[in-house]
Amino acid sequence: MRDRDPEGRPRNARPRDAYGRPLPYGEPGVARVPDDYAPTTEQALADGRRFLREGLPFNAHEVFEGRWKCAPEDERELWQGLAQICVGLTHLQRGNGRGALTLFSRGAARAQAYGGAYDAVGKAASGLSQDSDPGEAIDLIAARLPDPP
């Protein structure tokens, strides 16, 4: 059964490790992005880049997912794509290169379709392989994220 808040909305209180894997209840985990996080574009880019620079692409994925949920309709594909790229980075960290490639492909297509500065993010993700070094891949994506407007 999923954790719920006092109003009955689903919430995830289970701790996670640095790679986003669930830990047993009561275990210490890394700090999580709150379920109700609804960042602005500026916040999402800044927080996502910060988490990537800290080697926490799963947390960056949660940031971009938070923006995806509250963004205007015409931006949702972009934020979903950035979240997918970050999940791909998480799969690289976990040693799942095949899963990483699938997510890089999906995320890159969405980011590149948005165009502008995000085309570089998509191209960088498309150039990654299942054997890419996770740290180098994370640094590459962090460097390609545009500065907040």
Side-chain angles (χ1 to χ4, degrees):
M1 177 181 266
R2 188 157 182 197
D3 301 317
R4 301 214 173 252
D5 68 14
E7 288 81 39
R9 291 184 303 265
R11 300 291 184 215
N12 194 344
R14 192 164 178 189
R16 292 187 178 264
D17 70 8
Y19 300 133
R21 293 178 291 224
L23 297 169
Y25 285 98
E27 291 286 320
V30 298
R32 300 277 314 274
V33 174
D35 286 328
D36 59 354
Y37 177 72
T40 63
T41 294
E42 295 80 10
Q43 286 175 301
L45 289 170
D47 290 348
R49 181 180 286 118
R50 178 176 51 84
F51 281 127
L52 288 172
R53 288 189 175 145
E54 292 173 5
L56 299 169
F58 184 80
N59 288 45
H61 138 266
E62 289 183 321
V63 165
F64 296 139
E65 187 175 78
R67 180 64 188 150
W68 167 49
K69 291 177 182 177
C70 69
E73 186 67 36
D74 64 335
E75 290 181 17
R76 290 194 179 147
E77 287 286 313
L78 166 66
W79 298 107
Q80 185 178 23
L82 294 176
Q84 288 174 323
I85 291 168
C86 289
V87 173
L89 295 170
T90 301
H91 279 291
L92 269 185
Q93 285 181 316
R94 294 177 180 175
N96 178 7
R98 187 172 169 190
L101 279 182
T102 298
L103 286 156
F104 291 149
S105 176
R106 289 179 191 162
R110 284 186 165 98
Q112 287 181 277
Y114 197 77
Y118 299 99
D119 185 60
V121 179
K123 285 180 180 175
S126 293
L128 296 171
S129 75
Q130 65 183 18
D131 299 319
S132 293
D133 176 87
E136 291 175 10
I138 292 166
D139 290 345
L140 175 67
I141 298 301
R144 296 297 188 275
L145 279 177
D147 291 324

